[in-house]
Amino acid sequence: MYFIDFNRRKKVQIWEGITGSLYHSEKATFGHLTLEKGILLPQHRHEHEQWSHVIEGQLEFTVNDETQVLSAGMAAYIPSWAPHSAKALTACKVIDCFMPFRQDFKDLEQKSM
């Protein structure tokens, strides 16, 4: 599949207050996510390299104890296994990309069907 319409894909709840549409290739997971204002994503880490690109809103992001407020047009790069967390200071729209693809997110989609 060469073209993906995220507007038509089923939305899944990733975490409380975080929903979105996902697409998986053999090597990556790509997601269009919405975060409710005030949502705190606690510190965690995973094997996946991650890029989080803010499309709308303000997102306080911490990677390896370095914190910055991201707004539209800004991104965070999270290396594999780096501890990171985020807090939505406003409602946010974010595009996330993970490499390798996230089997746990694929499983979430299957459960919600």
Side-chain angles (χ1 to χ4, degrees):
M1 185 179 299
Y2 296 111
F3 306 101
I4 296 90
D5 184 351
F6 284 90
N7 297 311
R8 293 180 181 258
R9 292 189 65 78
K10 182 176 183 176
K11 295 199 181 344
V12 295
Q13 182 175 331
I14 310 297
W15 290 281
E16 184 70 32
I18 303 175
T19 58
S21 300
L22 304 166
Y23 189 79
H24 313 275
S25 70
E26 287 183 27
K27 297 182 180 182
T29 291
F30 201 77
H32 284 222
L33 307 179
T34 301
L35 290 77
E36 295 175 6
K37 179 181 178 179
I39 287 301
L40 175 64
L41 183 59
Q43 187 180 76
H44 63 287
R45 58 178 67 199
H46 42 71
E47 70 170 306
H48 313 87
E49 182 176 278
Q50 177 180 347
W51 285 89
S52 289
H53 184 96
V54 177
I55 302 301
E56 188 177 296
Q58 290 191 320
L59 183 63
E60 183 180 272
F61 218 103
T62 301
V63 181
N64 280 332
D65 296 323
E66 185 178 331
T67 302
Q68 186 164 349
V69 175
L70 306 178
S71 57
M74 298 175 75
Y77 165 67
I78 302 100
S80 181
W81 296 114
H84 57 285
S85 61
K87 181 177 182 179
L89 302 178
T90 65
C92 295
K93 290 186 180 179
V94 175
I95 295 176
D96 275 350
C97 184
F98 301 89
M99 287 93 38
F101 88 95
R102 291 200 61 155
Q103 183 65 49
D104 57 337
F105 283 8
K106 199 168 189 176
D107 293 344
L108 272 176
E109 287 179 298
Q110 295 297 321
K111 288 181 187 176
S112 67
M113 293 182 134

